[in-house]
Amino acid sequence: MSGSTQQAWERLSSRVDPEAVLSRVARAGARGLAGAGVCLLAACASSGPGPETVSDPVGRVPGVAPDNSYGLARRVTGPVVVDDAGAPLEFPWLGGLNQPRPQLADVDRDGDVDLFIQERSGRVMHFENVGDPRTPRFEWRSDRFGGIDVGEWYRYSDLDGDGDPDLLGESQFSHVKLWRNEGDGTGSGFPVWADSLRDAAGDPIFSDRQNIPNAIDMDCDGRVDLFIGRLTGTVTRYEERPEAGTGPPVFELLSDRFQNIEIVAQLGSLHGANTLALGDVDGDGDVDMFWGDFFEPGLLLIENTGSCERPDLTGDPVPFPAEDPILTSGYNAPALADLDADGDPDLLVGVLGGAFNPNRTTVDNLLFVEQVSPAEWKVQSRRMLRNLDVGSESVPAFGDWDGDGDADLLVGNKIADDGSETARVFAFENVGGAGEAKFQARGAIPIEGSYHFAPALGDLDGDGFAELLLGTWQDGILVYRNRGSDGTGLDRWSADPEATVSLSRGSNSVPALGDVDGDGDLDLVSGESSGELNLWLNVGTKFSPEFVLATDRWGEVDAGRRSAPVLADWDGDGDTDLLLGSESEGVTLWNLEPSDGGFKLVRAAGIVPEAPTFATPAVLDMERDGDPDLFIGGIGGGVVLFENLVR
């Protein structure tokens, strides 16, 4: 950074009369609102064509909520993203996976299994298998299959004996709810069959919220058995009563301690949250049991040493596979199905990132374990759905950091998954040609460690190369100069320790650069853990900025917790708008409107009703069609894309 720029950054609020600054804001505000505003770099940068159209099996416009007046459509494809080896990510904008609970089921009766994943409460993502039975290929269809709210868990199983999978889920008071599959093979048609399954006494059947039951005919008597793992590491068994008739099945309690199973964690305590997968794992014609648990750093197999008619699961649970056990961070959710139509079951395992340590995450937490030969299993992939995923609490930012005239991407995270106890900022260079965005993963920027990185990009010295402002948990906003053409790769940024911006209060700074007062230079806004906003105005120029703190409670805005701003002309009226992310309130739009010779922030509306938790927005006109599209980071560690269909 130039000497004048560095001096400007050193002049902070302690040296400036806040009333004088606010007076300048009022005077400049009227000028800025009257003229054409200057776009934020991220909003004006070039990008490529839009994503392919996807369909929703229940007939809704994919990703557009019924009350979404802004016409934002959820996309998981879009601008191409390739890994550091040049291989494309199949679902780049999926949003990341931190706690995937997978299921495989042929809901459309086309002879192959479709993929379902629960990542958030109530919602089940649907990926249709559009390949052939032996070569599965999945395409995303919906974030909420059938519009069904499944609660905290779900399970596909055929409970009415008609050959297609019905759906179990959690209802009020953690009762077991049943949806009957009455569809026509398109994936739709799951009416509620029972608000709660009931036992022979008429009492509702209960399952703890994080314990996922399973149902199968365990003893080959033609009646479905229902198994529920308990917090104590035991298994409760129910069996369907034959006299249920045409109504939903009624279950008789057979045992509170099925086969005396009692899983004891390696940590020495009894188990908590758990999930069961049931199927013939070893090909001997009877039903074996997989047990996944919060406290187990892997998957346990309980082999059935009896027969189909007389099951015996009294043996010790053993890590799986025996030769090379899967090692995970805990809470393993297994799903069994013949994925490749070779006549034997395969295994998917979802892993809850950070089960033992909440500061640890994992992005490789959806494992595909293939049965390559009878009783021989091999981990083929630890990241079955390849998407942009940096761990947890991602913060995206667009800007031209390599000076080639198009928008590149940075994504910060909360903490790395390598045990280093520090956050990372990952760089994705736009290597596409004119009119075609293509983001190439370049790795992590070599910067000193801290916690919870939130990047922002903007050219602060007018040389065409974007500087990096980096929000942190406690260290304020760090400033990194872009050496421009003198820089090489990710070493182009150099820290300017004298230019650190300190918050007057709060933590978890999330910076944003944009022209707030309409004078043609970049101002600085920062969110914080309190949910309020800090505003620094540039009283210098766009070549030699001088930032002074105008207010640490800009516009009396309060996002509740964890405010995450981005500045851009969202509504196309020529001035700068504020898009504000938050911990739990999604993304909201705030307009700058004239007020008594100045301007004020006015909340317009919620933009994305179902944004990720810890929503962190970024804006880019990805299609170069004149309207901004919305990218949102969040707790899942990935980036969610909403295409703008209105403007």
Side-chain angles (χ1 to χ4, degrees):
M1 198 171 288
S2 67
S4 61
T5 304
Q6 179 172 323
Q7 294 172 7
W9 278 101
E10 293 175 344
R11 301 189 193 112
L12 299 179
S13 59
S14 61
R15 307 180 188 182
V16 180
D17 181 2
E19 294 297 326
V21 175
L22 290 174
S23 176
R24 181 185 181 278
V25 173
R27 295 192 302 272
R31 178 178 71 246
L33 290 168
V38 178
C39 291
L40 180 64
L41 290 172
C44 301
S46 63
S47 185
E52 61 184 308
T53 301
V54 297
S55 61
D56 188 296
V58 297
R60 302 190 308 273
V61 178
V64 180
D67 59 343
N68 187 350
S69 61
Y70 287 86
L72 295 173
R74 169 86 155 98
R75 302 290 189 241
V76 302
T77 58
V80 175
V81 181
V82 300
D83 63 19
D84 52 6
L89 305 181
E90 298 92 341
F91 308 98
W93 311 106
L94 186 62
L97 298 173
N98 275 353
Q99 49 185 12
R101 283 151 287 178
Q103 289 280 288
L104 293 162
D106 184 10
V107 298
D108 51 11
R109 299 198 298 248
D110 63 351
D112 54 35
V113 291
D114 304 298
L115 173 62
F116 300 86
I117 293 178
Q118 184 176 19
E119 172 72 10
R120 301 178 64 182
S121 177
R123 308 178 189 183
V124 175
M125 290 187 285
H126 174 214
F127 299 81
E128 183 183 358
N129 190 344
V130 297
D132 58 63
R134 290 189 172 275
T135 310
R137 182 170 66 86
F138 297 105
E139 290 185 358
W140 179 86
R141 291 292 182 253
S142 173
D143 262 351
R144 181 174 288 182
F145 176 72
I148 300 171
D149 185 348
V150 299
E152 293 298 318
W153 58 265
Y154 76 111
R155 174 73 69 184
Y156 285 104
S157 185
D158 184 9
L159 268 73
D160 58 4
D162 64 354
D164 56 27
D166 306 299
L167 177 63
L168 295 172
E170 184 214 24
S171 70
Q172 193 177 17
F173 310 115
S174 296
H175 295 166
V176 179
K177 191 171 183 177
L178 173 61
W179 292 263
R180 188 174 187 178
N181 188 346
E182 297 181 354
D184 56 3
T186 64
S188 61
F190 279 77
V192 175
W193 199 16
D195 285 320
S196 176
L197 292 179
R198 296 185 179 270
D199 62 20
D203 297 323
I205 295 175
F206 171 87
S207 177
D208 299 292
R209 301 197 73 187
Q210 295 299 325
N211 296 341
I212 305 177
N214 210 331
I216 198 170
D217 183 4
M218 172 65 74
D219 52 6
C220 295
D221 64 355
R223 298 195 297 271
V224 175
D225 299 283
L226 176 66
F227 297 89
I228 302 176
R230 300 302 187 187
L231 296 175
T232 57
T234 59
V235 178
T236 298
R237 179 191 180 187
Y238 296 86
E239 186 174 62
E240 178 187 11
R241 297 188 65 167
E243 65 271 20
T246 60
V250 175
F251 289 90
E252 181 177 0
L253 176 63
L254 296 187
S255 176
D256 278 326
R257 298 180 62 89
F258 171 64
Q259 303 273 289
N260 286 318
I261 293 172
E262 185 175 21
I263 309 294
V264 179
Q266 294 184 7
L267 297 180
S269 63
L270 295 181
H271 282 222
N274 56 68
T275 179
L276 308 174
L278 303 171
D280 186 4
V281 175
D282 49 13
D284 61 356
D286 54 34
V287 177
D288 308 294
M289 178 183 292
F290 279 122
W291 178 286
D293 194 276
F294 189 93
F295 291 112
E296 280 291 341
L299 199 63
L300 298 177
L301 172 64
I302 306 176
E303 184 183 359
N304 188 344
T305 58
S307 64
C308 187
E309 294 78 11
R310 298 180 65 86
D312 184 350
L313 289 92
T314 58
D316 292 332
V318 296
F320 178 87
E323 299 78 14
D324 187 18
I326 297 170
L327 295 177
T328 70
S329 60
Y331 194 10
N332 309 285
L336 274 170
D338 187 2
L339 190 58
D340 51 10
D342 62 353
D344 54 34
D346 306 297
L347 180 66
L348 289 184
V349 184
V351 181
L352 173 63
F356 295 126
N357 183 350
N359 290 331
R360 293 284 308 273
T361 63
T362 176
V363 296
D364 298 331
N365 58 352
L366 184 60
L367 283 65
F368 169 45
V369 188
E370 183 185 6
Q371 190 171 183
V372 294
S373 63
E376 182 185 357
W377 300 74
K378 182 179 180 181
V379 177
Q380 300 289 19
S381 175
R382 293 184 174 273
R383 196 173 185 178
M384 183 178 176
L385 296 181
R386 286 166 42 84
N387 69 109
L388 195 162
D389 192 339
V390 300
S392 72
E393 298 189 29
S394 53
V395 183
F398 291 103
D400 184 10
W401 47 259
D402 57 4
D404 63 354
D406 56 30
D408 308 296
L409 171 65
L410 297 181
V411 185
N413 69 0
K414 178 181 179 180
I415 198 165
D417 64 343
D418 57 4
S420 61
E421 300 292 323
T422 185
R424 294 281 188 268
V425 178
F426 295 90
F428 298 84
E429 183 182 2
N430 191 343
V431 297
E436 181 181 2
K438 180 180 179 180
F439 295 103
Q440 170 79 59
R442 296 302 191 195
I445 300 175
I447 53 181
E448 291 187 11
S450 188
Y451 186 67
H452 201 287
F453 282 155
L457 290 164
D459 185 4
L460 296 176
D461 53 13
D463 66 352
F465 296 86
E467 270 65 52
L468 168 63
L469 272 64
L470 193 60
T472 64
W473 181 48
Q474 285 186 320
D475 301 323
I477 301 172
L478 310 179
V479 181
Y480 292 82
R481 175 190 175 187
N482 192 331
R483 296 196 299 274
S485 56
D486 295 331
T488 58
L490 301 185
D491 292 326
R492 66 177 59 251
W493 286 287
S494 57
D496 190 348
E498 301 298 324
T500 299
V501 181
S502 299
L503 300 183
S504 60
R505 55 187 174 80
S507 59
N508 276 111
S509 56
V510 181
L513 289 165
D515 188 2
V516 172
D517 54 13
D519 63 353
D521 54 35
L522 295 178
D523 306 298
L524 171 64
V525 176
S526 177
E528 61 179 44
S529 57
S530 71
E532 297 175 309
L533 294 176
N534 305 268
L535 171 62
W536 288 267
L537 287 176
N538 185 355
V539 298
T541 70
K542 61 182 178 180
F543 303 106
S544 181
E546 180 180 345
F547 293 89
V548 296
L549 181 65
T551 175
D552 61 4
R553 293 185 176 178
W554 184 32
E556 299 299 319
V557 171
D558 189 351
R561 281 195 74 240
R562 300 283 293 275
S563 52
V566 65
L567 298 166
D569 182 8
W570 178 260
D571 53 15
D573 64 353
D575 58 38
T576 299
D577 305 302
L578 168 72
L579 281 78
L580 186 64
S582 64
E583 178 177 329
S584 58
E585 301 299 319
V587 177
T588 54
L589 172 66
W590 298 72
N591 300 129
L592 284 168
E593 296 185 357
S595 175
D596 298 327
F599 61 85
K600 63 180 179 179
L601 278 173
V602 178
R603 178 166 175 168
I607 292 187
V608 183
E610 297 187 351
T613 304
F614 297 119
T616 55
V619 173
L620 176 72
D621 183 1
M622 68 173 184
E623 297 175 303
R624 308 181 85 181
D625 57 359
D627 59 31
D629 304 293
L630 185 61
F631 297 74
I632 309 175
I635 194 171
V639 180
V640 177
L641 165 60
F642 289 88
E643 182 187 2
N644 193 335
L645 301 180
V646 175
R647 287 181 49 213

